Amino acid sequence: MTTYRGSVTFIALSVTAAATALTGAVTPPAHAEGAVPALDWRPCAAVGGPAAQECAELPVPLDYRNPDGPQLGLAVTRVRSDRPSARRGTLLVIAGGPGSSGVQQVTQEGERLQRETAGQYDIVSLDPRGVGGSTKASCGLDPEDRELVNLRSWPAADGSITENVERSRRVAEACARNGGTRLRSFTTANEVRDIDRFRQALGEEKLSAWGTSYGTYAGAVYAQKYPRHTDRWVLDSSGDPDPSRVAQGWLANMAVGADDRFPDFARWAADPAREAEGLRLAERAEDVRPLVLALAARLDREPKESTTVGVPLTGNRLRQALQNALYSDDAFAQLAGLVQAARDASAKPVLPAELAQPLPDPDAAVTIGVVCNDVRWSGTVPSYGRAVAADRLKHPLTAGMPVNVTPCAFWKDAPVERPTRITDEGPSNILMIQGLRDPATPYSGALKMRAALGDRARLVAVGHGGHGVYLGNGNACGDRAVTTFLTTGTRPERDTYCAD
């Protein structure tokens, strides 16, 4: 989950933290008792963004057990309410990923969010450690190891994971060698502490929040750790918060998510309206899936030269392009065009930008670092091989990738803190919104978050496909439910459903 609509330490865990990590609210950490520097705001309006957007840098401790020790700088942003008389508080945007920029999300959506909430909030966000304008780390990875199709462990054409094992081991070793204490500090627990430091710097007793994708997990952990500092809390597109697996479970669940979502693309690609666009892949929706699977298998055997020199369209690049496109209906045309070009002997496919070039090293580092630092991933090389073989049969669209070995299997530093267990202890002030056909955080996983929160939450299920619901997929009923909650505090009395 590398886009916000899209999705990755300390030296020791204190006795107090160990006792509370699985149970709920904690005594505020050391930084809460010390002085938090004032924020020096400056204008930072960007093209297409809010004219009144401001930015600042928030210093945070590298290690919260040593609050006066080395500091990192976090990029933070705000758009102040344009209706001061109507202002009721501050709304924090929690970006997804791990690795997405909250500052960028406010630039892209701040004005609309301000309109939706009628100026009741200052809109704020931050770039987490390692992201955007915040202090970064590096693993020093070779460009090939930073390609998305390699960061995601797609098995070989025959299902073999030998190359995945070698690459995962190599990446883990490079991150241990080059990442240092900065990379080890990239954890959800520290993002939550950083959010609370931001709250204090803003001078707010409570925050409201809208977290999307991975941001729902960070938001849920914050609500568990600091319940008295939460006001109106929105979790949009949630994953299973199982503390024994965390991101390992999120990745595995993407196999189900792809199966849930693919029929939407198949119907679109078989629609006669696509004929004039040259994008109709089949006359019947049920024929699109076997067509795509057969094409990927052919590209496994015979990769096709693309317009990007030295980067052919392989079966796994097609599978990764499919996974990316399932996030939004707006990406269907690009995927269908890629499929058509791959089928045309005379055409050179144009690869999507995210598949045509490696990720910058800091982006790769934070994507890997968070998910590997948060929890020890379970499994042995033979068990990963068996899981891949079974998953390829059950979920051929994702070909075993979601359960394959990753660098986390060889991570050198054990997690310093146990992941937080999300519980029903705390104020009943959470609204979940979830699409029924989400390729990244499937509905089945979101129901696990809903069960964990108990009466603290209400769930609005939306009969729509794609990843990210509020202000993202054009569902008026779902948007209205979230806006009503943020502006009036009113939630549905019970879990409810919005038709597409």
Side-chain angles (χ1 to χ4, degrees):
M1 296 186 280
T2 58
T3 62
Y4 71 78
R5 283 291 180 195
S7 309
V8 130
T9 63
F10 303 120
I11 297 172
L13 179 61
S14 71
V15 173
T16 301
T20 58
L22 296 180
T23 58
V26 297
T27 301
H31 76 267
E33 304 301 326
V36 177
L39 295 169
D40 183 15
W41 294 105
R42 57 177 175 77
C44 62
V47 176
Q53 187 169 359
E54 298 176 291
C55 294
E57 182 175 272
L58 173 70
V60 298
L62 174 69
D63 180 345
Y64 274 97
R65 293 175 301 111
N66 181 20
D68 296 321
Q71 303 287 300
L72 305 179
L74 301 188
V76 299
T77 193
R78 73 177 177 185
V79 180
R80 303 183 76 172
S81 169
D82 57 355
R83 297 179 59 206
S85 62
R87 182 186 182 278
R88 65 169 306 274
T90 295
L91 177 62
L92 172 71
V93 175
I94 311 177
S100 293
S101 166
V103 173
Q104 181 184 34
Q105 188 170 352
V106 170
T107 299
Q108 293 172 345
E109 300 192 339
E111 285 187 338
R112 185 176 178 191
L113 189 55
Q114 193 172 56
R115 289 195 303 272
E116 287 287 326
T117 57
Q120 291 190 24
Y121 296 95
D122 294 344
I123 310 298
V124 306
S125 192
L126 75 164
D127 284 348
R129 300 175 184 220
V131 176
S134 296
T135 301
K136 293 182 172 63
S138 172
C139 287
L141 302 181
D142 292 337
E144 184 182 1
D145 290 340
R146 290 187 271 112
E147 292 184 31
L148 182 57
V149 76
N150 292 328
L151 284 172
R152 293 281 174 87
S153 289
W154 293 96
D158 62 357
S160 161
I161 68 168
T162 301
E163 184 177 345
N164 304 127
V165 170
E166 293 173 354
R167 189 184 307 278
S168 294
R169 195 187 304 274
R170 180 169 67 245
V171 167
E173 290 173 351
C175 289
R177 185 169 58 250
N178 301 315
T181 55
R182 283 186 183 179
L183 183 61
R184 291 196 292 274
S185 80
F186 294 177
T187 66
T188 300
N190 276 343
E191 179 169 347
V192 164
R193 294 184 178 103
D194 293 345
I195 287 172
D196 200 59
R197 188 174 178 88
F198 188 28
R199 175 192 64 78
Q200 293 175 69
L202 290 166
E204 297 288 352
E205 179 62 24
K206 291 187 175 185
L207 295 172
S208 293
W210 169 38
T212 305
S213 191
Y214 164 73
T216 65
Y217 178 66
V221 173
Y222 185 92
Q224 192 71 36
K225 295 289 189 181
Y226 302 100
R228 68 186 181 88
H229 294 307
T230 61
D231 186 7
R232 297 170 184 174
W233 219 248
V234 177
L235 305 182
D236 180 347
S237 304
S238 301
D240 180 355
D242 180 355
S244 69
R245 304 185 76 198
V246 194
Q248 188 173 14
W250 304 336
L251 184 60
N253 287 347
M254 292 179 83
V256 173
D259 288 344
D260 290 346
R261 172 64 162 152
F262 187 84
D264 291 340
F265 172 69
R267 284 190 292 272
W268 181 94
D271 190 325
R274 306 283 87 78
E275 201 76 62
E277 304 162 355
L279 298 176
R280 193 179 188 195
L281 301 185
E283 293 186 357
R284 302 184 307 166
E286 56 265 36
D287 293 331
V288 175
R289 179 183 169 109
L291 181 155
V292 170
L293 291 174
L295 178 60
R298 192 181 85 197
L299 291 168
D300 283 336
R301 299 187 300 270
E302 302 173 6
K304 185 166 187 179
E305 184 180 0
S306 77
T307 58
T308 304
V309 177
V311 185
L313 177 60
T314 62
N316 282 339
R317 283 199 175 90
L318 180 65
R319 295 180 183 100
Q320 185 63 61
L322 168 63
Q323 187 181 52
N324 293 352
L326 295 179
Y327 277 48
S328 171
D329 291 6
D330 292 341
F332 285 178
Q334 184 182 52
L335 175 62
L338 185 66
V339 170
Q340 293 289 54
R343 299 168 71 194
D344 184 345
S346 63
K348 278 189 180 181
V350 178
L351 296 179
E354 64 272 17
L355 295 182
Q357 56 192 6
L359 273 68
D361 193 71
D363 293 357
V366 69
T367 299
I368 299 166
V370 174
V371 300
C372 296
N373 287 331
D374 270 1
V375 68
R376 175 69 78 186
W377 287 42
S378 62
T380 62
V381 170
S383 72
Y384 281 115
R386 291 191 295 271
V388 165
D391 217 51
R392 285 168 66 84
L393 292 174
K394 190 174 183 180
H395 305 288
L397 287 172
T398 47
M401 180 277 292
V403 296
N404 201 358
V405 67
T406 71
C408 301
F410 304 106
W411 209 242
K412 302 302 181 183
D413 297 293
V416 180
E417 301 175 79
R418 299 165 70 187
T420 297
R421 182 178 296 280
I422 305 303
T423 77
D424 60 359
E425 298 175 7
S428 184
N429 62 353
I430 298 172
L431 180 69
M432 294 178 60
I433 185 164
Q434 184 74 30
L436 294 185
R437 302 184 302 282
D438 187 320
T441 53
Y443 187 68
S444 54
L447 290 179
K448 302 290 183 63
M449 178 73 85
R450 175 67 187 89
L453 289 168
D455 195 52
R456 296 182 68 188
R458 298 290 183 272
L459 171 64
V460 177
V462 177
H464 195 90
H467 185 53
V469 181
Y470 185 52
L471 307 185
N473 273 315
N475 185 277
C477 170
D479 287 352
R480 186 165 54 249
V482 174
T483 296
T484 298
F485 174 57
L486 290 175
T487 54
T488 70
T490 301
R491 301 180 305 178
E493 292 185 5
R494 59 185 63 84
D495 292 355
T496 189
Y497 173 71
C498 286
D500 194 357

